Amino acid sequence: FVCTARENGRELIVGDARYFANPGRESCEFGIVVADGWRHTGVAQHLMRSLMADAKEKGFRTMASLVLRGNRDMLDFAASLGFAIEDLPSGSDRVRITKPLH
């Protein structure tokens, strides 16, 4: 999914969210990117809600992603959407966020 906006007469992609099926197609991994000038505008929420609804409609039961441990904005955002945050083995600079899609 993408979100576009017109700037200076050009249409630009300001947000992109996608998921990829894991083997067995019961779960999927996602990624989301929002342009710096469009953060905290609701673009990410809109993209993620659309992404989760589409994944659920396609039969996925769980959505997950790896996030840098220090990325507080993303971790707070994920928590606000109901994602659980799980620590990975010690020494990892990442955590795993997961959400059931039922």
Side-chain angles (χ1 to χ4, degrees):
F1 290 87
V2 296
C3 180
T4 62
R6 284 219 170 266
E7 289 185 3
N8 301 321
R10 295 182 14 207
E11 187 171 21
L12 302 174
I13 295 174
V14 297
D16 179 307
R18 58 188 73 204
Y19 64 83
F20 306 90
N22 288 321
R25 296 194 53 88
E26 287 193 19
S27 65
C28 59
E29 302 285 323
F30 79 92
I32 183 168
V33 178
V34 176
D36 289 343
W38 288 87
R39 292 187 180 164
H40 305 287
T41 64
V43 167
Q45 290 85 349
H46 180 70
L47 286 169
M48 280 303 297
R49 290 189 198 291
S50 297
L51 196 68
M52 290 186 297
D54 187 75
K56 180 179 178 181
E57 181 181 309
K58 295 220 170 46
F60 292 100
R61 297 175 53 173
T62 306
M63 182 173 271
S65 188
L66 295 176
V67 178
L68 288 172
R69 185 178 300 279
N71 189 344
R72 289 300 333 153
D73 281 347
M74 182 60 183
L75 294 174
D76 291 345
F77 172 65
S80 77
L81 292 172
F83 281 81
I85 300 168
E86 305 168 34
D87 281 324
L88 294 176
S90 69
S92 177
D93 63 345
R94 298 172 193 265
V95 295
R96 184 163 185 75
I97 59 173
T98 58
K99 178 176 175 65
L101 297 174
H102 46 67

